[in-house]
Every structure is written in structure tokens, then in C-alpha cells.
Amino acid sequence: MTRGTFTIAGGGPVGSLLAIVLARHGYRVGLYEGRPDSRMTNIYQGRSINIALSDRGWHSLQQIGVGPDAKDQAIPMYRRAIHDVDGALSEIPYGKEDQAIWSVSRGGINQQLLDIAEDEPDVETFFEHRLVDVDFETAAALFRLGDTEVTVEADYLFGADGASSKVRRLAHDLPRFSYSQNYMPQSYIELNIPANADGSHRLEKNALHIWPRKDFMLIALPNPDGTFTCTLFMNHSGDPSFESLRERDAVERFFGDNFGDAMDHLEDPVDTFMAKTASPLFLVQVFPWSFNNKVGLIGDAAHAIVPFYGQGMNCGFEDCAELNRLIAQHDHDWTKIFPAYENARKPNGDAIAELSKRNFVEMSDLSGDKRFQLQKKIEAKFHDAHPELWTPLYSMVTFSPEVPYAEALRVGDEQKAVMDRIMQLPDIENTWNEQHVMDRLHELAAARFGDRQ
Amino acid sequence: MTRGTFTIAGGGPVGSLLAIVLARHGYRVGLYEGRPDSRMTNIYQGRSINIALSDRGWHSLQQIGVGPDAKDQAIPMYRRAIHDVDGALSEIPYGKEDQAIWSVSRGGINQQLLDIAEDEPDVETFFEHRLVDVDFETAAALFRLGDTEVTVEADYLFGADGASSKVRRLAHDLPRFSYSQNYMPQSYIELNIPANADGSHRLEKNALHIWPRKDFMLIALPNPDGTFTCTLFMNHSGDPSFESLRERDAVERFFGDNFGDAMDHLEDPVDTFMAKTASPLFLVQVFPWSFNNKVGLIGDAAHAIVPFYGQGMNCGFEDCAELNRLIAQHDHDWTKIFPAYENARKPNGDAIAELSKRNFVEMSDLSGDKRFQLQKKIEAKFHDAHPELWTPLYSMVTFSPEVPYAEALRVGDEQKAVMDRIMQLPDIENTWNEQHVMDRLHELAAARFGDRQ
């Protein structure tokens, strides 16, 4: 006996995980992906694309009951490795000693989750099925497979079809659909650092490398095969920008002046820069996330964010874990599950959108800022002494799955007001380690956060 | 000799005023409106639709050199007339004794501005021309007139085609176009209060009437013919809402319970409520407002807002006045005018969007709130005593055209922080008129605003 039938548009990590959730609750699921099966044809063309996964992601997988296999192939990054313009290296840990964010292969985790989904007898996967249309009243969907069109009927449909979601675009014309798409001033291109001949990493493996240059930055995340995937973020227009850097001479100078120490490692950065068109960065926020209690949005389709907090996939996995919880709580009543799902997740999607936008400034500017590093040190010290009063914002977002994003954003803003006052203490650069600084911070923090214990 | 040619899509008040601005700077203008000429066929079907015009609007018209004719037919509203649920009336002035917002007939001002535009030899008007397409590279436009299509070439094009702007919708697919459309929880319907037999007004003429009921409200604006145009704002869904009030009995009870004193005047409110479909309220924010230095957006097409601050047309007129200034300043160099225009106006468009959204709460809830009325009184008293230190937010937005909306929003937020502290003074309800309250307010205000004199 089946509880009902679902169509899922989009077979990425979130769509695959959602298929597992639904199947384990007794639903029959058709999982439709527009691209070919990446397990058969390497659509990544040998290139490693990695994304960050952290405690929220692992925690959600665990709640859903999907084992930590993925972690075996992930690389923990315990710290930011900050490359000065003169090549000097400094480090800022992400959290406590054993806390890390994880570089995972997007293709790898997708394939693992697809395998697990296909192990469920009630999940059937379909590749190269491009979504053409959705009936938001009946949840019927029309897909194109080569030259033929296939109509798929089901009780419900989820759009898990990513940042440029077709389901979401089809929903535009529904009444009272609020929508925003905002471009960041920055665009990006990907570069590569190859492995050493023996397959080892050419830079420290267990760190996220950042070359913070204020208006632009280069970052590098390690892959298991010894390579690093690098991303250059820079303004679309202005100076310097992807628009202004057109001449080879200027590009060579730009790389040499700004990323001197990386030039020993990067694979043809100037050629790559000249050949590639920079990709835009945008955020999409919509509401509602469900329509007629028949069709829902999940993952990037509901909340496309920018990558600066490394939370995109984590947030999508949390969506799945929330649905997992709500299906049980509301005993399969989707007239209750859809509204409860969007009301629970929308504020958190908005919060991580805001946090990820702000984090460009933190990564590209403040990471290289001595006062910022000092502030981090003071916060870390206070957190160690009074974990009940203070968890740094980064740690709340990254290492505290029990704190919703919206709560992290709110508390983080209050903490910022407190730290602004601490950083104004006279001669804080030299006195930060003295007891009176901790005392003052305790006083301010206890006044704001003390009654929440 | 002509400076160049412009197509304007949209012959409403803003499009007509823009045509005047451009013609007076030496451009040839084709002004295209999709609807019939309202001066020939009464498209308003005898119904009065009024909108609020205030100092920013008058000031902009003056700067452009369009006389105050419109003011002759406008009705000044010096105060809010607040109708309690038990029928008791109270009043809150909008500003100083002689300060008013003005109820003007939308059709009337449109027709006046069209007449003035047509008096310019270089303006030609075209009605019943529906915009079909725009070439954002060349500023060419395609219009449909009946069964035929007309291509219009010009050097530049402006979309002045309102909240649902076709020009803006066509711009969606341009690269890096940021867009947001947000629905308010409220929708609205219009109702009518007829004139007395002798043509006089049945309620006080020189006031904006408000029946604030927290989650919903009724308002009424006077027309010169003795009628009032009323608008009922209420949630789309929930209780009470346009969705929940479906039965005639319930609607009758709703009006009787909430608007008892208005029921003597309203023309068939229950029938009208039952017959009408409520219209949604939405805000649109976009960026950029210009494309390739060839095509621009202006008025509601660039910034559709909600009506709760009565600033929509004022903001559009300010757009025109800004262009008027910039054309002279940049000596007809549109590669400078377009960027300067959007950079100057975008922050103000965003600010009035935010202010107008917030003002629903002020109008529907706080207007009936004794503490809010007290706060207004304290602010007004302090403004009288120290106009250099304090102008209430409402007055900055409505009566201070020299203060940009963005500045008003920022200063207003700071004032709110100060007033929150004043309103927490012990027994403020009874002591508000004592000197120590003014002294404390002066102390707080001088600390924040004193150095700005």
C-alpha cells in the first residue's frame, strides 16, 4: 500500500535526499532529472566541483537516517589559510580544535544519494527528462525526453531543480506569488591548482585558502585527488573587474600583483581568465514555497543564495529533514505539512541568504584585517570561558544545527553591537588579553543574553 | 534643430510630465498610451479616483515650470479624522496648521498634464497604442494599434507605463537585471460615499477619514463633486479577510460591527463587497533603471509602491524633476544622465517603498492608539520649539521636499530610538507636557542631531 505518489523535478543532492525521505515514509516517488545520469556519463568532464558541507548537513542526513558514507570522501578544513599580498600566511581556525567544514565533491555526494534513493523499492529515477510544464492544481507534469513529451501524473510534486528552477519560473504567473532575484556586484570564474606528481596537495590540505583583496578574492578548496578548485570573485564592472580586465598584459599584471604566491600553483590562470566568461552571482527569494497544497519548492529552487557561507546544500538538506519531521508530526496530512514546512523554513532561508551575502565582505575584506582577527580571538576566548553566554556567529551558523539560521542572524546582530563596544576599549590591541576586557564583555553579554540560559 | 528623439511608453501623469520636461529641453517626443484618450472617452466611467499629492509633487511641478493649476481642483486635507469603532471622532493634524496633503482627481491631473504636453510643439500623443516589444539596444519600440503593428524609432525610450510596466517586464531577460515583486498580506476594494443632495460632503471635507481597526481599515478621501472615494484594506486570507467573508450575513455583520457610523453614508457597501474581487497590493523594486544608456524606467514602472504614504505620484514627479536637473547639469550627455538619474533616485525609491509599507501599521493600528497620538503630540511640540533639531518623520516625507526620502527614512529611524526612550519615562501619559520631558528630549536629540545644524 502506498501513501500517495510524488514527482520530484531535479535529481541533484536535495532532490535525491527528498526522494529517500518520501520513500521511507511510504510514498512512491518518480525522480526526474534533466541531465544524463552522471554515474554513466561523466558530465563533470573530469573537473572537480566541490562544495562545503558542515554540521547542519551531516545532522540532517543523520536525522533522515542516511549514513555518514559521504564523510569518508570529504576533506575536513579546520581553518582559513589567509594568503597576504606579499605571500605571508596566517591562519584563523573555524571553531574549536576538532571543528571543521568539509569539502565534498558535488558529483560524489550526488551519486551516493542517488544510489541510496534507488535502493528504495518505491523510487524510480528518470534522466534526460526536461521539465516543460506543471499543472499547479493537479501536480501533473510534462517532461520532454528527446523528441517525445511525457505527461506524469502524481498526487504531489516538488521542484528540487536548483537556483534556476523551472518549477519556480512556472509559478511566476500564479496569483500573489512574491519573487525577488538580486544580482551581486561580483561575478566569478573557476580556476584549478593541480596535484603534485605523487598525488599530494600543493597547499595545506586541511584548510580553506583565501587570498582576500577587499574588492575581490581568490579562494581554494581541496579535492581528494590532490587538486584544489579555486574561485576568483570580482566585481562585474568598475576597476578592477571582469569588464575592465580585457588585455592579456593587464590580466598578467593583475594576477602577478595580487596572487603572487598562488601563481606558482595555478594552472594557466591568465589563459583561463581570458577564455572564460564570468558567471553571475544572484540570490532568489520567493513566497509561498507551496501551491494549492499540491506543489512545493525545496533547496536552491526555494532559496538560491550566494556561496560565501558555504551553506547552500546544508540549507537544502535541512529542508528535507524538516519535511521528514513534519510528515510524521502531521500524519501525512499535506494540507498541514506544506504550510508548516514553508512557515518553518522561509525565515531560515531568508536568514542564510542575508548571512551569505554579508559574508563576502567578511571573507574578502575583514579576513585580512588585523582588528577582525583580534575580534575573532576575543570572541573565541570568551566562548571558551562562557559557552552558555556566547557562541560566535560563524559557529552558530556552521557548528550549531540546533540553532535555526534566523536565530543565528538575530543573536549575531546583538553580539555585533556588544563587540563594537569592546573593540572601542582604549588600546584594545594591546590589552585584549587582560582580565578587565573579559569582565566588561561578560557584563555586556550577561545583560543581553544572561536571561536566556 | 532637435536635441534628439524620445519615445515615452505610458501617458499617465508621470509620462505626460516627462514629455513636458524633455520637450522643453529641446527633444522631440512621441507619447504613447495604450488606453483611449480619457479626455475624449470617459474611461473612468464617471467614478472618481483620487490620489494624494503633497509638497514633493507641487515642488517638482514648480521646478519643471508647470503651474499650480492642478491645485485649484485639489482638496486640501489638513488632518486625519479618526473614526472609533463606537463612532467617536478624533483628529490628528498632518503637520502645522496650514500644512495639508491634497486629494486630487487622477483623471483630472492626467488630463491637465496631457493638455500642457500637447501645447508643446515637439510633443505628439498617440492613444490606443499597446506596447508589444522594445529593442533595448536601439530604443526602437513596437506598438499594436488595433490590428496593425507600428514600429517607432527614436534615440531613447522611457517606460512610464506604471506598476505593471511592460517595458520593465521586457527587461527581465536582460543580463544582471535585479527584480523583486512582493505582495502585501492585504488586498483592497473601493467603495463610495455619495454627495448630499445639495452637492456638499457628508463627512468633513478637509480631512482624510480613517476607520483604523488594526488588521484592517477603511479610509475615505474627498472629491470636488461632494463624494468620497473609500478604500477598504484587509488581509487576503485569515480571519477576517476577503477570503473568509463570503456570506452576506457575515459581511453585513462585519460592516455593522466595525464601521457602524460609516454605514449611514456608504453606498451599498455590502452589495459592492459581495460583487467585487479584491485587488492585490504589491511592491516592485528593480535595478538598474536604465539599459545601454538608451532605455529608462520612471515612476511606478521603476518603483511600484503601496498607497499608505500617499507618495506614489509625488515620487514619480520627483523622478521627472531630477531628470530635468540632470539634463542641464550633464549638458544632454545621456551616457551620464541615465547613470546619474538611477543612482540618485534608486535609494529614494527604495526608501519610500519601505516607508509606505510600514505606514499600513501606523494608519491601521497606531492611529487609533492613544500612546501613538501622545507621541505625535510630544514630537509636534518639540518640533515647534526646536525645528532645527527635529522634524517628525511624517513631515519630512510629506512637507520637506528638500529632504530626500532616503534621508527621511534614516533620520526617522534614529528619532524612533529617541522617542522609544521618551515614551518609557515614568507616567509619561500625565507628565508629557512638563518641562523635564522637553529637556530630556532636547538632551537626547541634541546628542544625536545637534552636530548636523
Side-chain angles (χ1 to χ4, degrees):
Chain A
M1 193 205 85
T2 169
R3 290 283 190 175
T5 55
F6 269 89
T7 299
I8 298 176
V14 171
S16 305
L17 184 59
L18 178 61
I20 296 166
V21 167
L22 293 169
R24 293 189 179 174
H25 279 285
Y27 296 92
R28 289 182 63 84
V29 180
L31 181 60
Y32 291 81
E33 167 60 40
R35 287 178 293 188
D37 187 345
S38 69
R39 295 165 301 184
M40 317 292 276
T41 65
N42 191 343
I43 58 165
Y44 299 103
Q45 301 171 322
R47 255 181 53 211
S48 300
I49 296 190
N50 47 28
I51 44 183
L53 201 58
S54 51
D55 287 16
R56 285 176 197 274
W58 302 126
H59 184 69
S60 299
L61 290 173
Q62 211 165 25
Q63 286 186 311
I64 292 165
V66 172
D69 275 22
K71 217 161 179 170
D72 298 344
Q73 292 163 49
I75 300 176
M77 300 177 288
Y78 296 99
R79 58 196 78 87
R80 312 164 181 86
I82 298 172
H83 297 248
D84 275 7
V85 75
D86 56 10
L89 259 175
S90 58
E91 295 189 339
I92 307 180
Y94 275 118
K96 293 171 187 289
E97 213 171 307
D98 60 339
Q99 289 180 321
I101 62 176
W102 300 71
S103 174
V104 305
S105 150
R106 189 191 185 285
I109 196 159
N110 197 352
Q111 290 165 14
Q112 285 181 44
L113 291 170
L114 275 173
D115 287 342
I116 298 170
E118 287 184 348
D119 282 346
E120 296 289 333
D122 281 339
V123 173
E124 201 173 351
T125 53
F126 304 86
F127 293 91
E128 299 176 66
H129 279 65
R130 297 210 154 270
L131 182 64
V132 177
D133 204 3
V134 170
D135 183 326
F136 287 89
E137 299 283 343
T138 65
L142 183 68
F143 292 94
R144 192 185 306 274
L145 169 67
D147 290 338
T148 63
E149 291 195 335
V150 188
T151 299
V152 177
E153 316 265 356
D155 299 320
Y156 309 99
L157 180 143
F158 260 102
D161 48 347
S164 300
S165 170
K166 176 80 178 182
V167 177
R168 187 188 65 221
R169 281 181 287 138
L170 290 167
H172 266 222
D173 298 327
L174 299 180
R176 303 183 63 76
F177 184 60
S178 290
Y179 174 85
S180 94
Q181 167 163 319
N182 278 294
Y183 281 86
M184 296 284 285
Q186 299 86 20
S187 297
Y188 72 93
I189 57 168
E190 281 176 350
L191 299 169
N192 184 47
I193 292 179
N196 286 316
D198 65 356
S200 63
H201 289 82
R202 298 174 71 145
L203 299 173
E204 195 212 323
K205 175 184 173 184
N206 292 115
L208 191 155
H209 294 263
I210 313 179
W211 290 258
R213 300 294 181 264
K214 204 161 177 178
D215 289 339
F216 54 95
M217 70 172 170
L218 179 70
I219 66 170
L221 275 76
N223 298 306
D225 63 3
T227 64
F228 283 86
T229 304
C230 307
T231 313
L232 172 65
F233 297 97
M234 184 165 54
N235 281 331
H236 172 77
S237 59
D239 185 30
S241 71
F242 286 108
E243 218 173 62
S244 72
L245 287 169
R246 301 261 187 190
E247 305 297 324
R248 170 171 288 273
D249 283 4
V251 175
E252 270 171 11
R253 226 166 23 243
F254 171 77
F255 274 96
D257 290 353
N258 290 295
F259 309 118
D261 67 323
M263 290 303 278
D264 301 339
H265 307 301
L266 286 164
E267 186 173 42
D268 303 327
V270 175
D271 287 337
T272 311
F273 185 99
M274 300 292 292
K276 280 194 176 176
T277 303
S279 304
L281 290 164
F282 57 90
L283 298 105
V284 177
Q285 293 172 279
V286 299
F287 199 80
W289 290 8
S290 72
F291 312 96
N292 309 313
N293 295 329
K294 293 293 270 182
V295 176
L297 298 172
I298 193 164
D300 286 354
H303 45 72
I305 62 177
V306 288
F308 304 120
Y309 232 115
Q311 286 292 320
M313 192 164 64
N314 293 282
C315 185
F317 284 5
E318 272 194 345
D319 293 344
C320 294
E322 183 73 39
L323 275 173
N324 184 50
R325 208 169 13 248
L326 290 170
I327 293 168
Q329 184 182 326
H330 294 294
D331 194 21
H332 301 269
D333 180 350
W334 286 86
T335 67
K336 295 197 174 127
I337 297 167
F338 276 121
Y341 159 71
E342 68 190 3
N343 288 327
R345 294 302 298 161
K346 167 70 174 167
N348 292 312
D350 285 349
I352 192 59
E354 175 64 23
L355 287 163
S356 66
K357 217 167 35 175
R358 291 186 191 175
N359 222 42
F360 177 77
V361 177
E362 170 144 335
M363 286 183 80
S364 69
D365 183 2
L366 303 178
S367 284
D369 180 321
K370 293 284 171 258
R371 280 181 70 84
F372 171 73
Q373 298 195 19
L374 175 61
Q375 182 172 327
K376 289 253 172 204
K377 261 197 280 193
I378 298 172
E379 278 195 74
K381 185 179 167 191
F382 189 66
H383 171 53
D384 279 344
H386 300 283
E388 80 291 355
L389 273 183
W390 195 284
T391 303
L393 175 59
Y394 192 90
S395 295
M396 280 191 286
V397 172
T398 307
F399 305 123
S400 311
E402 73 284 2
V403 180
Y405 289 122
E407 171 82 358
L409 174 61
R410 198 181 55 67
V411 172
D413 280 346
E414 290 195 55
Q415 289 178 342
K416 184 180 176 306
V418 169
M419 284 309 296
D420 283 350
R421 294 174 68 174
I422 293 296
M423 295 304 288
Q424 282 164 21
L425 291 178
D427 199 26
I428 184 72
E429 286 82 358
N430 298 309
T431 60
W432 71 273
N433 216 358
E434 292 172 14
Q435 186 54 36
H436 75 91
V437 173
M438 282 296 111
D439 290 347
R440 177 74 179 131
L441 183 45
H442 186 266
E443 190 186 342
L444 291 170
R448 288 219 188 206
F449 310 116
D451 53 348
R452 292 189 196 149
Q453 290 170 49
Chain B
M1 192 207 84
T2 170
R3 290 283 188 176
T5 54
F6 269 88
T7 300
I8 298 176
V14 171
S16 304
L17 184 59
L18 178 62
I20 297 166
V21 167
L22 293 170
R24 293 188 179 174
H25 279 285
Y27 295 91
R28 288 183 62 86
V29 179
L31 181 60
Y32 292 81
E33 168 59 40
R35 287 177 293 188
D37 187 345
S38 69
R39 294 165 303 183
M40 316 293 275
T41 64
N42 191 345
I43 58 166
Y44 299 104
Q45 300 170 322
R47 254 182 53 211
S48 300
I49 297 190
N50 46 27
I51 45 184
L53 202 58
S54 51
D55 287 16
R56 286 175 196 273
W58 303 124
H59 184 70
S60 299
L61 290 173
Q62 210 165 23
Q63 286 187 311
I64 292 165
V66 172
D69 275 22
K71 216 161 180 170
D72 298 344
Q73 293 165 48
I75 300 177
M77 300 178 285
Y78 295 100
R79 57 195 80 86
R80 311 163 182 88
I82 298 172
H83 298 246
D84 275 6
V85 76
D86 56 10
L89 260 174
S90 58
E91 295 190 337
I92 307 179
Y94 274 119
K96 292 171 188 291
E97 213 171 308
D98 60 338
Q99 289 180 321
I101 61 176
W102 300 72
S103 175
V104 305
S105 150
R106 190 192 184 284
I109 195 157
N110 197 354
Q111 290 165 15
Q112 286 181 44
L113 290 171
L114 275 173
D115 287 343
I116 299 170
E118 286 182 349
D119 282 347
E120 297 289 332
D122 282 339
V123 173
E124 201 173 350
T125 52
F126 303 86
F127 293 89
E128 299 178 65
H129 279 65
R130 296 210 155 269
L131 182 64
V132 177
D133 204 2
V134 170
D135 184 325
F136 288 89
E137 300 284 342
T138 66
L142 183 68
F143 292 93
R144 192 186 305 275
L145 169 66
D147 289 337
T148 65
E149 291 195 333
V150 188
T151 299
V152 177
E153 316 266 354
D155 298 322
Y156 309 100
L157 180 143
F158 260 103
D161 47 348
S164 300
S165 170
K166 176 80 177 182
V167 178
R168 187 187 67 221
R169 280 181 288 137
L170 290 168
H172 265 222
D173 298 327
L174 299 179
R176 305 182 63 75
F177 184 60
S178 290
Y179 173 86
S180 94
Q181 168 164 320
N182 279 294
Y183 282 85
M184 298 284 284
Q186 298 86 20
S187 297
Y188 71 94
I189 57 168
E190 281 175 351
L191 299 169
N192 184 47
I193 292 180
N196 286 316
D198 65 356
S200 63
H201 289 81
R202 299 175 70 146
L203 300 173
E204 195 213 322
K205 176 184 173 184
N206 292 116
L208 191 155
H209 294 262
I210 312 178
W211 290 257
R213 299 295 180 264
K214 202 160 177 178
D215 289 339
F216 55 95
M217 68 173 171
L218 178 70
I219 68 170
L221 274 77
N223 297 307
D225 62 3
T227 64
F228 283 87
T229 304
C230 307
T231 313
L232 171 65
F233 296 98
M234 182 164 55
N235 281 331
H236 171 77
S237 57
D239 184 30
S241 71
F242 287 108
E243 217 173 61
S244 73
L245 287 169
R246 300 263 187 188
E247 305 296 325
R248 169 171 288 274
D249 283 4
V251 175
E252 270 170 10
R253 226 171 17 245
F254 171 77
F255 273 95
D257 289 353
N258 290 295
F259 309 119
D261 67 324
M263 291 303 280
D264 300 339
H265 307 300
L266 286 164
E267 186 173 41
D268 302 327
V270 175
D271 287 338
T272 311
F273 185 100
M274 299 293 292
K276 280 194 175 177
T277 302
S279 304
L281 290 164
F282 57 90
L283 298 106
V284 177
Q285 293 172 280
V286 300
F287 199 81
W289 289 8
S290 72
F291 312 95
N292 308 313
N293 295 328
K294 293 293 269 182
V295 177
L297 298 173
I298 195 164
D300 286 353
H303 44 74
I305 63 178
V306 290
F308 304 120
Y309 231 115
Q311 285 293 319
M313 193 164 64
N314 293 282
C315 185
F317 284 6
E318 273 195 345
D319 293 344
C320 294
E322 183 73 39
L323 274 174
N324 185 50
R325 209 167 15 245
L326 291 171
I327 293 168
Q329 183 182 327
H330 294 294
D331 193 23
H332 301 269
D333 180 349
W334 287 87
T335 67
K336 293 195 176 130
I337 297 166
F338 276 121
Y341 158 71
E342 68 191 2
N343 288 326
R345 294 301 299 160
K346 168 69 176 168
N348 293 312
D350 285 349
I352 192 57
E354 175 64 24
L355 287 162
S356 65
K357 216 167 34 170
R358 291 187 193 174
N359 222 41
F360 176 77
V361 177
E362 172 145 332
M363 287 183 81
S364 69
D365 183 2
L366 302 177
S367 284
D369 180 321
K370 293 285 171 257
R371 280 182 72 84
F372 172 73
Q373 299 195 18
L374 175 61
Q375 182 172 328
K376 288 252 172 207
K377 261 197 280 192
I378 297 172
E379 278 196 74
K381 183 178 167 191
F382 189 66
H383 172 53
D384 279 345
H386 300 283
E388 79 292 355
L389 273 183
W390 196 284
T391 303
L393 175 59
Y394 193 90
S395 296
M396 282 191 285
V397 172
T398 307
F399 305 122
S400 312
E402 73 285 0
V403 179
Y405 289 122
E407 172 82 357
L409 174 62
R410 198 181 55 69
V411 173
D413 280 345
E414 291 195 55
Q415 289 178 342
K416 185 183 176 304
V418 170
M419 286 307 297
D420 283 349
R421 294 174 68 176
I422 293 296
M423 294 304 288
Q424 281 164 21
L425 292 177
D427 198 26
I428 185 71
E429 286 82 358
N430 299 311
T431 60
W432 72 272
N433 216 1
E434 293 172 15
Q435 187 54 37
H436 75 91
V437 172
M438 283 294 112
D439 290 347
R440 178 73 179 131
L441 183 44
H442 186 267
E443 189 186 341
L444 291 171
R448 287 218 187 207
F449 310 116
D451 53 349
R452 292 190 196 148
Q453 288 171 49

